[in-house]
């Protein structure tokens, strides 16, 4: 039955939607083994989505939609300019810092690439930045979105792996900050080499305080979410409700960038995105049951032999597979496919599932800026009005920077696990 995994990837390469591919392979495999088990198909799909934790998915998508349209990105950009704008490569650092702030509000890479890119790419072009550098740095900095909490990717992994979503959120903070800091260091040296400098004025403490005051209401939300989860005031699922209510209050009544008539468009976009994800989760649940019933993870462990007992080699192989897969499979779909395949392997190798969840998320977000799929590349290239290949000169070293962070968090698990252990005490 392990050959059916190969059939799944053939269907993906042929352009079959992942959700349908997972469902077809599962049903086809059941028919070959025992047609009488087909009665389990609707049961497994329903049981996969009949999970209270999944309520957080449409809630965070809704909060992200409201935040994107609520004027928050402009305030975050202005605050970021005050902090790092005068430095060499300052506007690139503004992009990265604003993406980190924005990611902590929406948890999605595409929203960050569109919102930040729409404002910053024209501004960077006006300041004399190479348009290829501008488009690529917006794309790569947007990958921080699914790592810094809240994160839809980590929610899905937590549901499928039966791991605490609160712990995953805490574990994602330092890796996300490392990704942002590494890209800022890279941008500093590029800015110095190319003499990219917007002004020589260093912001005073008063100017920083004024900028922080304007962006404060936006910056407080992630603190409320993480603080509430860590303190036990509410669960990770309930934090989605808090995020939506807070986003509506800020967007409609404080910043006044959203009117009641805009809510229908926001809700419709949320429903479209959420329904696709929920259907994918349902077929992924069927796929997970099919794998377990036929003991396919055990077959993979046997095939890998001694590698499965060597955490160093196992993580290296998993990283390579995920990086390759991330180039042609979207993030949500990849989580649905690889979590049930690799989780038994990493548990057998003595690897903490929270550590693996962050490794999985970082790998797949790098895939969002890796051709040929690289969805964030297409977002920023369309804004910059250039083709994706023209971005490669600056894109390749930026991906290399992210890969160095990936290696670091893969083989120094304390970076991921220490904050979780700290808050558990």
């Amino acid at each position: 039955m392990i050959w059916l995994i190969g059939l799944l990837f053939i269907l993906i390469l042929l352009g079959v939607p992942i959700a349908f591919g997972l469902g077809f392979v599962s049903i086809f495999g059941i028919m070959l083994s025992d047609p009488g088990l087909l009665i389990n198909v609707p049961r497994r799909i329903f049981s996969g989505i009949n999970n209270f934790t999944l309520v957080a998915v449409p809630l965070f998508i809704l909060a992200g939609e409201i935040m994107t349209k609520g004027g928050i990105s402009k305030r975050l950009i202005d605050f970021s300019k005050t902090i790092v704008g005068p430095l060499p490569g300052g506007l690139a650092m503004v992009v990265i810092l604003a993406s980190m702030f924005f990611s902590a509000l929406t948890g999605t890479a595409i929203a960050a690439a569109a919102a930040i890119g729409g404002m910053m790419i024209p501004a960077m072009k006006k300041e004399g930045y190479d348009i290829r550098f501008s488009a690529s740095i917006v794309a790569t900095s947007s990958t921080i979105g699914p790592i810094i909490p809240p994160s839809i990717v980590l929610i899905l992994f937590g549901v499928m792996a039966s791991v605490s979503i609160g712990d995953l959120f805490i574990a994602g903070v330092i890796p996300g900050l490392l990704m942002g800091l590494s890209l800022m260091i890279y941008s500093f040296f590029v800015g110095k080499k190319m003499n990219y400098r917007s002004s020589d004025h260093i912001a005073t403490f008063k100017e920083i305080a004024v900028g922080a005051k304007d962006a404060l209401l936006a910056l407080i939300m992630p603190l409320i979410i993480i603080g509430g989860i860590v303190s036990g005031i509410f669960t990770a699922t309930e934090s989605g409700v808090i995020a939506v209510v807070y986003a509506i209050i800020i967007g409609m009544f404080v910043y006044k960038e959203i009117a009641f008539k805009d809510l229908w468009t926001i809700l419709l976009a949320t429903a479209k995105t959420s329904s696709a994800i929920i259907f994918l989760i349902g077929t992924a649940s069927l796929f997970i049951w099919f794998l377990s019933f036929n003991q396919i993870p055990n077959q993979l462990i046997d095939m890998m032999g001694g590698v499965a007992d060597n955490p160093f080699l196992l993580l290296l192989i998993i990283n390579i597979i995920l990086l390759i897969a991330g180039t042609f499979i979207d993030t949500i779909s990849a989580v649905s496919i690889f979590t049930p395949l690799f989780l038994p392997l990493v548990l057998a190798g003595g690897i903490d599932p929270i550590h693996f969840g962050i490794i999985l998320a970082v790998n797949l977000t790098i895939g969002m800026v890796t051709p040929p799929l690289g969805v964030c590349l297409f977002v920023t290239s369309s804004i910059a009005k250039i083709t994706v290949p023209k971005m490669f000169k600056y894109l390749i070293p930026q991906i290399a920077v992210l890969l160095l962070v990936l290696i670091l968090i893969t083989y120094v698990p304390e970076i991921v696990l220490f904050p979780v252990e700290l808050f558990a005490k």
Side-chain angles (χ1 to χ4, degrees):
M1 286 294 177
I2 201 168
W3 59 271
L4 286 170
I5 305 299
L7 175 61
L8 173 62
F9 286 104
I10 291 172
L11 292 174
I12 292 170
L13 291 172
L14 290 174
V16 175
I18 307 292
F20 291 101
L22 289 170
F24 174 79
V25 167
S26 303
I27 293 171
F28 184 57
I30 292 169
M31 290 178 66
L32 290 178
S33 58
D34 185 357
L37 294 174
L38 287 173
I39 194 173
N40 288 299
V41 172
R43 292 176 182 172
R44 293 294 168 179
I45 292 176
F46 178 75
S47 65
I49 61 177
N50 186 28
N51 189 324
F52 178 71
T53 306
L54 289 176
V55 174
V57 173
L59 287 172
F60 278 119
I61 292 172
L62 176 58
E65 289 283 344
I66 296 169
M67 288 287 185
T68 302
K69 294 176 173 62
I72 288 173
S73 54
K74 181 181 184 302
R75 288 167 173 82
L76 294 177
I77 288 172
D78 290 343
F79 179 51
S80 301
K81 279 182 181 177
T82 305
I83 299 174
V84 296
L87 297 173
L91 286 185
M93 292 188 190
V94 168
V95 166
I96 298 161
L97 200 58
S99 293
M100 291 169 70
F101 289 146
F102 196 76
S103 298
L105 301 176
T106 65
T108 58
I110 298 172
I116 306 298
M119 290 184 164
M120 289 305 300
I121 289 177
M124 293 174 77
K125 183 178 180 180
K126 187 177 179 181
E127 292 288 337
Y129 282 68
D130 190 317
I131 193 69
R132 299 170 297 174
F133 172 69
S134 304
S136 60
I137 199 67
V138 171
T140 51
S141 62
S142 70
T143 62
I144 303 168
I147 309 302
I148 292 182
S151 166
I152 293 169
V153 171
L154 294 180
I155 291 172
L156 294 184
F157 174 81
V159 170
M160 293 181 181
S162 299
V163 173
S164 166
I165 293 170
D167 287 348
L168 285 168
F169 279 5
I170 296 168
V173 173
I174 293 180
L177 293 176
L178 279 176
M179 291 169 71
L181 181 61
S182 300
L183 287 172
M184 288 179 76
I185 292 171
Y186 163 81
S187 298
F188 176 84
F189 285 109
V190 171
K192 206 166 184 180
K193 179 181 178 182
M194 304 299 294
N195 196 29
Y196 292 148
R197 188 186 291 271
S198 300
S199 70
D200 294 322
H201 174 68
I202 304 296
T204 64
F205 177 79
K206 183 179 179 181
E207 289 171 333
I208 294 175
V210 170
K213 181 183 177 182
D214 197 33
L216 183 63
L217 291 173
L219 297 173
I220 275 179
M221 194 185 93
L223 297 178
I224 293 174
I225 291 173
I226 297 300
I229 293 171
V230 171
S231 63
I233 296 174
F234 45 76
T235 65
T237 305
E238 292 164 347
S239 69
V241 179
I242 304 296
V244 170
V245 173
Y246 189 85
I248 289 174
I249 292 172
I250 299 304
M252 293 186 69
F253 303 110
V254 179
Y255 292 159
K256 297 181 180 179
E257 300 272 349
I258 299 174
F260 279 103
K261 64 180 180 180
D262 299 321
L263 289 179
W264 171 250
T265 305
I266 291 170
L267 289 169
L268 187 63
T270 301
K272 288 180 178 178
T273 305
S274 302
S275 58
I277 293 174
I278 296 299
F279 177 63
L280 174 61
I281 293 170
T283 55
S285 177
L286 174 64
F287 180 65
I288 291 169
W289 175 80
F290 170 73
L291 293 180
S292 301
F293 184 82
N294 289 280
Q295 298 185 330
I296 290 177
N298 292 336
Q299 295 176 43
L300 285 174
I301 292 173
D302 292 338
M303 285 177 60
M304 296 184 75
V307 173
D309 298 323
N310 187 324
F312 184 91
L313 288 177
L314 178 61
L315 287 173
L316 177 63
I317 292 171
I318 287 175
N319 274 329
I320 292 171
I321 293 172
L322 290 175
L323 285 170
I324 294 171
T327 62
F328 63 92
I329 304 176
D330 69 273
T331 308
I332 302 297
S333 301
V335 172
S336 303
I337 294 170
F338 291 108
T339 298
L341 281 177
F342 288 153
L343 187 62
L345 293 175
V346 300
L347 292 177
I351 298 164
D352 191 294
I354 293 174
H355 183 208
F356 170 64
I358 301 301
I359 292 172
L360 176 75
V362 173
N363 267 293
L364 297 178
T365 55
I366 292 174
M368 298 186 81
V369 290
T370 308
L373 183 62
V375 62
C376 290
L377 295 179
F378 294 105
V379 171
T380 59
S381 66
S382 64
I383 295 171
K385 295 180 173 57
I386 59 172
T387 60
V388 170
K390 287 185 177 179
M391 297 161 61
F392 286 177
K393 176 182 177 181
Y394 294 100
L395 178 66
I396 291 172
Q398 289 167 26
I399 292 176
V401 168
L402 294 176
L403 289 175
L404 287 175
V405 176
L406 173 62
I407 292 169
L408 188 63
I409 66 171
T410 297
Y411 293 112
V412 188
E414 290 78 13
I415 293 173
V416 174
L417 299 176
F418 175 73
V420 179
E421 294 168 356
L422 183 66
F423 283 110
K425 293 179 180 179

